Amino acid sequence: MSDKTPAPADLAGVEGASGGKQLHLGWALVLISVAQLMVVLDGTITNIALPYIGRDLDIAQANLSWIVTGYALAFGGLLLLGGRLGDLYGRRRVFAAGLTIFAIASLIGGLAQSEAMLLASRSLQGLGAALASPAALALITTTFPAGRQRNRAFAVYAAMSGAGAAVGLILGGWLTGLDSVFGIEMSGWRLTFLINVPIGIGAALLARRFLNESESHPGEMDIPGALTGTFGLLGIVYGLTRAGDARYGFDDPWTIASLAAGALLLALFAFLESRAEHPLMPLHIFKNRTRAASFAAMMLGPAAMFAMFYFLSLFVQQIMGYSPLKAGFAFLPFSAGIVIGAGLASNLASRIDPRFLAGTGTLLASFSLFMFSRLSIDDSPSAVLGALAGQGTAGSSVSYATDLLPWIVVMSIGMGLTFVPLTLTAVHHIKAHDSGIGSGVLNTMQQVGGALGLATLSTVSLHYINERVALIGPELTQASGVDPGTEQGASFLEAAFFQATFTEGATHAFLIASLMMLAASLVVWIFLDVRHEELATDGPEAAAIV
């Protein structure tokens, strides 16, 4: 090794040491980023495949969203436990174990023969992701020195976290469109799971070579906290999802019971954490105003972004008539935009306060979501029936170049500007041995926000869809001239009602998502008061969380 001291900005050439072993920071960052990309993109890679999964496994339309929310719930609900395990038993060990579990779960999902088997695999994937993701972020925090090196490392990590959602849609679209691999006939949606197997196993094996193990710290696992927190979130999401079903609503006894039980469990979670000697979520982590604001904004922002991907991917595929591959590529500009935004934020983070970067980013994202809420098609019964008669879709006249592309780009740049400063401020001034919990809370806010956001906005969407069904149902059924009692007639009417109602629900969901992002912006502008000079140092005032 050369005796020359490496330049601070040269990530690829910098070598560090931990526990006496040298570490190549460039390769370490590549490994962590690839693993994080795989974990994050799995939140959206199945979105485009949802209709095909439902058809092959006979999953009802109302239950398809659980393929997305089931993963996000397990991921978010167990992230704090994953962060604590990394602190207790070593982050490299937990990182590798999480990737291995993720790969095994992906294999099960790719071979699933039933709805139950698939949803179980998604939950197991969430567990693997919950172990790997906080360990990955903590490894960056404790590996790269504060200042430009850490800022750049976080920029790459944030870009993977943000672009992963869009990459998942592109990759999912391509894989879903395939009908064979290596000459073997196979439904393309299964490949969206199976592709993770070699990546996960390979990354787990390489972790030992490129990542040094962190020190283990004494402590206990907070199992009651993990159970009450996870099942509390599950109760809330199930209640919101059931409320959106036209058969039940908010006044249904089981809906009320689920929401009440979820709220009680979350209250019990907070009580247990305030009394536990080694809490899963140390509540005084929120006493720091900067961290609390970062966590709140990181919960509201992804809540809107996850829902945007969900509704827009369905819109371009089923309303505009795009193929799975074309639908995936429709989101390619998002990947480029978020990398550009993250790069800008990284370069400006040492000169501009995070409030201005994240505040501007959230405002851009909110405006983009508002513009999505203005999408309009002719979804009158006569127009819908005419489009279906011609083997088309009701939204084939929507222009991607003018109606979607500008706002996809603006939103992606905004999210890039948001993720980098919030990631920096969320873990700033947390001691090294507590960074697993800090990163765990950060990732929890993202995933829980995404799950709760999708559940909430799906309920909003279904409310307006149900209202429109009641309004046009008799006219559409009569004008169709088909017998709803036959299988063919029922199938045709189902497609017609979807074409005539989905846009009404999606645009209202986009509007509420815009307000969510605006709320995140207000939190940033009002409460995120840390200055950029402070982010360049770890500072002696850094305090332990536990």
Side-chain angles (χ1 to χ4, degrees):
M1 183 179 69
S2 172
D3 292 328
K4 180 182 177 181
T5 301
D10 185 8
L11 287 181
V14 176
E15 292 187 357
S18 177
K21 295 183 178 179
Q22 294 186 348
L23 178 66
H24 194 296
L25 298 185
W27 283 110
L29 182 58
V30 168
L31 176 61
I32 291 171
S33 299
V34 168
Q36 178 68 5
L37 177 64
M38 180 186 69
V39 166
V40 173
L41 69 81
D42 227 67
T44 59
I45 194 171
T46 57
N47 274 0
I48 290 178
L50 289 178
Y52 302 89
I53 296 174
R55 181 192 62 197
D56 284 2
L57 299 184
D58 194 27
I59 301 176
Q61 183 72 30
N63 292 336
L64 283 180
S65 63
W66 278 101
I67 297 175
V68 178
T69 55
Y71 174 78
L73 273 178
F75 191 179
L78 298 172
L79 264 169
L80 294 175
L81 183 62
R84 175 55 71 195
L85 288 172
D87 290 336
L88 295 180
Y89 300 110
R91 287 159 197 147
R92 187 184 69 183
R93 183 179 294 112
V94 172
F95 178 72
L99 291 177
T100 302
I101 292 172
F102 192 91
I104 293 172
S106 298
L107 179 62
I108 296 172
L111 301 177
Q113 300 299 312
S114 67
E115 176 181 349
M117 186 175 179
L118 182 73
L119 294 182
S121 75
R122 289 293 279 169
S123 296
L124 191 59
Q125 278 185 318
L127 169 61
L131 296 175
S133 188
L137 183 55
L139 285 167
I140 289 180
T141 305
T142 57
T143 298
F144 292 87
R148 173 174 279 187
Q149 286 183 340
R150 186 178 296 176
N151 289 352
R152 289 193 174 186
F154 273 130
V156 174
Y157 179 90
M160 295 300 100
S161 298
V167 172
L169 291 169
I170 297 168
L171 188 60
W174 174 58
L175 294 174
T176 300
L178 299 177
D179 55 14
S180 65
V181 57
F182 301 123
I184 302 174
E185 290 189 5
M186 180 181 298
S187 296
W189 68 263
R190 295 186 181 277
L191 297 175
T192 64
F193 290 89
L194 297 176
I195 192 174
N196 295 321
V197 178
I199 298 174
I201 295 297
L205 293 175
L206 290 173
R208 184 174 181 83
R209 178 176 180 181
F210 291 111
L211 300 175
N212 282 347
E213 183 61 280
S214 63
E215 295 182 4
S216 298
H217 300 282
E220 299 176 359
M221 288 188 293
D222 181 14
I223 300 300
L227 292 177
T228 53
T230 301
F231 283 104
L233 292 170
L234 180 63
I236 295 293
V237 171
Y238 177 77
L240 289 172
T241 304
R242 187 178 178 89
D245 194 317
R247 296 172 297 174
Y248 308 116
F250 277 103
D251 57 353
D252 173 71
W254 283 107
T255 299
I256 297 172
S258 179
L259 292 172
L264 287 173
L265 284 172
L266 291 178
L268 179 58
F269 169 76
F271 175 79
L272 291 174
E273 297 309 280
S274 67
R275 299 293 192 275
E277 183 178 356
H278 299 284
L280 195 61
M281 180 187 285
L283 296 183
H284 52 278
I285 190 175
F286 296 99
K287 290 183 179 180
N288 180 289
R289 175 170 167 161
T290 294
R291 278 200 296 271
S294 301
F295 292 148
M298 270 298 203
M299 186 172 186
L300 290 168
M305 192 180 76
F306 277 33
M308 182 277 288
F309 279 121
Y310 180 80
F311 289 108
L312 204 57
S313 64
L314 290 175
F315 183 84
V316 299
Q317 189 172 198
Q318 298 191 43
I319 301 300
M320 294 175 64
Y322 280 23
S323 67
L325 181 58
K326 189 176 180 180
F329 273 103
F331 291 93
L332 183 59
F334 192 96
S335 299
I338 202 165
V339 170
I340 292 171
L344 285 172
S346 173
N347 289 328
L348 295 174
S350 59
R351 289 174 285 170
I352 298 178
D353 291 349
R355 168 190 292 174
F356 298 104
L357 294 175
T360 300
T362 47
L363 286 176
L364 289 174
S366 178
F367 179 71
S368 298
L369 288 163
F370 174 75
M371 296 307 295
F372 286 136
S373 76
R374 295 173 61 85
L375 287 170
S376 178
I377 66 170
D378 185 355
D379 52 8
S380 63
S382 59
V384 167
L385 293 174
L388 292 178
Q391 303 298 310
T393 56
S396 57
S397 62
V398 175
S399 171
Y400 172 77
T402 59
D403 296 327
L404 298 181
L405 179 59
W407 318 124
I408 289 175
V409 172
V410 171
M411 182 167 183
S412 64
I413 294 175
M415 295 312 296
L417 288 172
T418 300
F419 280 142
V420 172
L422 290 184
T423 301
L424 286 167
T425 55
V427 297
H428 182 54
H429 283 179
I430 293 180
K431 281 189 174 179
H433 68 271
D434 286 317
S435 58
I437 286 297
S439 60
V441 174
L442 174 65
N443 282 289
T444 294
M445 295 300 106
Q446 289 180 283
Q447 295 302 319
V448 169
L452 292 176
L454 181 55
T456 301
L457 295 176
S458 292
T459 300
V460 170
S461 174
L462 286 171
H463 171 76
Y464 286 97
I465 285 175
N466 293 335
E467 280 193 346
R468 182 155 178 79
V469 167
L471 179 66
I472 67 168
E475 180 184 354
L476 182 60
T477 303
Q478 183 177 5
S480 68
V482 300
D483 182 4
T486 65
E487 182 177 349
Q488 184 176 4
S491 178
F492 179 85
L493 281 176
E494 182 180 358
F497 273 111
F498 185 89
Q499 294 290 318
T501 62
F502 179 78
T503 303
E504 179 77 8
T507 52
H508 280 87
F510 284 134
L511 181 60
I512 302 302
S514 175
L515 295 177
M516 285 183 174
M517 194 65 78
L518 185 60
S521 190
L522 289 175
V523 168
V524 168
W525 286 109
I526 296 173
F527 299 108
L528 196 68
D529 55 4
V530 65
R531 300 188 61 81
H532 64 274
E533 292 90 350
E534 296 180 52
L535 295 181
T537 63
D538 286 321
E541 68 273 26
I545 294 173
V546 296

